[in-house]
Amino acid sequence: MKQKTFNDLGLSEEVLKALAEMGFESPTPIQRVALPPALAGHDVIGLAQTGTGKTAAFGIPLIEAAKEGNRKDPSALVLVPTRELAIQVCTEISRIGRHKGIVAAAVYGGQPITTQFRALKAGVDVVVGTPGRVMDHMRRKTLVLRNIRSVVLDEADEMLNMGFIEDMETILAEVPKERRTMLFSATMPAPILRLSGKYMTDPETVRADANNPVVAKISQVFYEVRSEDRTRALMRLLEVEDFSRVLVFCATRKDVDDLSAELQKAGYGAAGLHGDYPQELRDETMKRFRNGNTPVLVATDVAARGLDVQDVSHVVNYSLPQNAETHVHRIGRTGRAGKSGVAITLVSPREKSRLRLIERLTRSTIRQAPIPTKDDVKRARQQGTIDALAAAIATGSLDQHKKVVDALASRYSLEDIAAAAIRLMAGDMVVEDIAEVRQRTRGERPVSGGQVVKLRVGLGRKDGISVSDLVKSIAVQGRIPGRDIGKIALFDRHSFVEVPAHLARQVVTSMNQSRFPGKKIQVA
Ligand code: AMP
């Protein structure tokens, strides 16, 4: 079949420009089959899972159908099962529609309803929401449906599983009859089929070819780095990779402690997991990994055994696995439930032949990739900042902040004001050289210049504390930046921590007032 491009689909210049900026070169299989009928205004049932590009498959037609400047009441409504998906879909629609001036807003439970009133009142084209909250807004008349021309039920089977079937039906009965309806679902259980029969007109059913998924389930990549550069290389990868949850495997408990501490110091939401920690702490760590509070989990093979977490987007072999079987076990943590996953292996030049052996034994292909350059990291940071700002604009409620802009506008240009605000939010965007880091760590003086003092902390390994916990408590409770914390030595019942002399008193005072699960921390 001829490989269609987005240009063949008759899309507007504005949308084509946005897609190009997003790096979408050609339509995915579901987009190829869903876009033509959807753009022609037909009802469409798309059988597709997350990861197939389904959001753009319904998002592009909504954006093309929305009339610019006609923003008093929304023209499209997208129903989704969860708050996370609402934000994700809203962000993607805002990005695709940005040159057409399309405004999308996400409404979901858990966020103050008043914040959402303001966003809706300011005028939006596309509302993306969870059924419960959408109904809430309908009852309060803060969401007016009379201009709705397109309705999308995204992940309809998930909405059914979550008990939203009646809400979906109520909403569908309230939107104007002269509309087009699109339904996307991974499966078609009977209640969803019935719903489509009742509320859709002559729908065309399309599906992503199951034998030809967009991404192979697990894509395996390796990066060749010197052992001493592994941590910095991992941090660069974490900056450029689009991840949800990352599971990093280390060979030893000490590596787990050291790496999780380093990642925390650098500001990543990371935690360590190994057999030395008490069960209570391990359960808490797992809970935080599962609910997304700590998206990076550093673990030993033993600790990760039996760990069943959905949606691990990346597995990292920070240390090369002992054998092929362990490798298969590790990478099997990602790519679950039909989702795609990435398995990253960091190898030193000496370890490369062992990796090739694992590749042969597991009959897989592990492709080599270069470590992201400083420019790659800068670009990723810029994109992250752009996405975060687009999401903040889409969600609205900026009245207070606009007052600050007004106060400055007579003295400075809007461009300068915005750039300064972004700098405060995103920092200076400086990326360290890997070679620079290597030189600096060889000289070994992590604490930023000046005198350091060694503090004794009356808690140790047997109390269930880890290096990463210590860094976290000192940074948070001691109120000093993680990067100012120097060497940490952990013993069974006590530990030593280096901090800059001028901050020592502050750390001692604040730490002595705080507790580590159930225990008072004694620092001297
Ligand atoms: P979705 O299934 O909508 O969650 O999309 C999965 C991922 O694929 C998202 O990160 C999209 O931004 C991305 N994506 C969607 N369409 C395309 C495309 N045509 N080319 C490249 N990436 C895409």
Side-chain angles (χ1 to χ4, degrees):
M1 190 173 69
K2 189 171 156 280
Q3 184 84 2
K4 270 213 170 116
T5 68
F6 284 115
N7 285 315
D8 302 331
L9 291 162
L11 303 180
S12 64
E13 288 293 317
E14 292 87 352
V15 167
L16 285 174
K17 186 170 169 207
L19 293 174
E21 285 168 2
M22 290 165 76
F24 291 13
E25 284 169 7
S26 57
T28 65
I30 191 68
Q31 290 163 3
R32 225 169 285 153
V33 288
L35 282 173
L39 286 164
H42 296 303
D43 282 6
V44 171
I45 295 177
L47 285 162
Q49 299 173 336
T50 304
T52 52
K54 66 181 169 58
T55 313
F58 64 74
I60 295 172
L62 295 188
I63 289 161
E64 293 292 23
K67 297 228 177 6
E68 210 179 328
N70 183 17
R71 198 183 290 154
K72 209 168 148 291
D73 297 321
S75 63
L77 175 66
V78 182
L79 295 178
V80 295
T82 62
R83 160 205 158 104
E84 286 71 26
L85 194 61
I87 296 172
Q88 202 176 306
V89 168
C90 180
T91 308
E92 181 129 328
I93 289 180
S94 303
R95 290 178 73 188
I96 302 174
R98 74 178 143 210
H99 297 303
K100 267 201 90 176
I102 298 297
V103 176
V107 298
Y108 45 81
Q111 191 191 39
I113 198 154
T114 45
T115 308
Q116 298 168 358
F117 287 162
R118 266 177 265 131
L120 293 173
K121 212 167 150 213
V124 294
D125 302 291
V126 183
V127 173
V128 185
T130 48
R133 188 47 77 96
V134 166
M135 297 247 301
D136 238 9
H137 281 289
M138 283 162 56
R139 271 196 295 269
R140 293 167 190 248
K141 307 225 179 322
T142 40
L143 175 60
V144 180
L145 301 177
R146 63 171 171 247
N147 268 345
I148 296 285
R149 293 286 170 269
S150 309
V151 174
V152 180
L153 306 176
D154 187 18
E155 303 203 352
D157 51 355
E158 269 307 302
M159 288 201 276
L160 169 72
N161 290 340
M162 293 176 73
F164 285 138
I165 188 88
E166 280 176 17
D167 290 357
M168 283 194 268
E169 211 160 321
T170 310
I171 297 168
L172 284 169
E174 295 244 342
V175 283
K177 294 232 161 8
E178 271 164 41
R179 57 144 205 272
R180 145 277 288 289
T181 310
M182 291 186 264
L183 185 153
F184 281 76
S185 200
T187 56
M188 279 303 262
I192 295 296
L193 207 57
R194 194 183 54 76
L195 194 80
S196 69
K198 192 162 165 198
Y199 292 98
M200 296 178 81
T201 316
D202 204 8
E204 182 158 332
T205 302
V206 295
R207 66 188 76 222
D209 183 355
N211 298 321
N212 184 16
V214 188
V215 232
K217 261 180 79 183
I218 301 174
S219 103
Q220 296 202 54
V221 198
F222 81 88
Y223 298 88
E224 193 176 332
V225 281
R226 299 157 67 121
S227 290
E228 61 267 41
D229 291 336
R230 276 185 305 179
T231 307
R232 187 60 50 174
L234 174 62
M235 286 183 193
R236 273 206 185 171
L237 289 166
L238 291 177
E239 289 230 35
V240 299
E241 290 281 323
D242 194 6
F243 65 83
S244 58
R245 288 185 191 79
V246 186
L247 184 55
V248 185
F249 285 98
C250 291
T252 66
R253 294 172 181 196
K254 183 170 181 312
D255 278 354
V256 168
D257 283 341
D258 292 349
L259 180 61
S260 53
E262 284 287 328
L263 291 172
Q264 281 172 6
K265 274 204 232 177
Y268 292 95
L273 190 76
H274 63 61
D276 282 353
Y277 302 151
Q279 193 58 43
E280 205 179 304
L281 194 69
R282 278 194 268 165
D283 291 346
E284 177 62 26
T285 303
M286 280 312 305
K287 203 166 110 201
R288 294 178 61 81
F289 184 54
R290 233 178 236 124
N291 65 23
N293 279 333
T294 311
V296 183
L297 185 66
V298 185
T300 55
D301 289 298
V302 179
R305 202 170 281 160
L307 180 144
D308 183 21
V309 179
Q310 295 291 325
D311 200 17
V312 172
S313 59
H314 291 64
V315 164
V316 178
N317 284 323
Y318 182 81
S319 325
L320 204 59
Q322 282 297 320
N323 50 47
E325 201 187 337
T326 309
H327 179 72
V328 172
H329 249 105
R330 286 182 178 183
I331 69 167
R333 304 286 166 192
T334 182
R336 293 202 162 185
K339 298 209 165 111
S340 57
V342 180
I344 289 173
T345 303
L346 301 178
V347 280
S348 67
R350 275 192 305 135
E351 289 171 329
K352 226 163 123 184
S353 55
R354 263 180 63 208
L355 181 72
R356 290 296 180 209
L357 182 64
I358 289 176
E359 189 179 25
R360 252 180 290 133
L361 290 171
T362 55
R363 289 194 197 87
S364 53
T365 310
I366 310 180
R367 108 191 125 74
Q368 179 163 17
I371 291 285
T373 62
K374 283 167 85 163
D375 279 345
D376 294 335
V377 175
K378 274 189 198 149
R379 259 197 303 277
R381 284 189 194 169
Q382 267 168 12
Q383 192 55 55
T385 309
I386 290 169
D387 290 349
L389 286 168
I393 293 168
T395 316
S397 129
L398 297 169
D399 293 353
Q400 290 303 322
H401 307 85
K402 283 181 186 161
K403 285 188 185 142
V404 179
V405 178
D406 289 343
L408 289 162
S410 60
R411 279 185 288 156
Y412 305 101
S413 73
L414 287 180
E415 197 182 11
D416 279 350
I417 299 171
I422 291 168
R423 181 167 163 188
L424 286 179
M425 163 192 162
D428 281 331
M429 300 201 176
V430 176
V431 187
E432 286 185 89
D433 242 6
I434 289 192
E436 245 170 52
V437 173
R438 183 156 63 229
Q439 278 161 17
R440 200 151 47 74
T441 46
R442 221 186 267 138
E444 203 56 75
R445 181 71 285 156
V447 177
S448 53
Q451 286 278 315
V452 285
V453 293
K454 199 185 257 184
L455 300 178
R456 184 183 188 282
V457 182
L459 284 176
R461 220 178 255 130
K462 292 243 157 88
D463 300 299
I465 203 160
S466 66
V467 170
S468 45
D469 294 327
L470 267 177
V471 172
K472 207 176 343 171
S473 347
I474 295 166
V476 176
Q477 277 137 10
R479 286 178 280 129
I480 71 169
R483 65 172 179 279
D484 278 346
I485 301 168
K487 272 193 199 150
I488 293 185
L490 197 61
F491 299 95
D492 279 355
R493 290 284 173 207
H494 68 277
S495 6
F496 289 107
V497 180
E498 283 184 356
V499 296
H502 68 283
L503 294 173
R505 179 177 293 279
Q506 174 188 324
V507 174
V508 172
T509 316
S510 338
M511 295 286 292
N512 278 333
Q513 287 163 0
S514 47
R515 304 175 83 81
F516 176 74
K519 279 199 173 143
K520 208 158 164 36
I521 307 179
Q522 297 248 307
V523 183

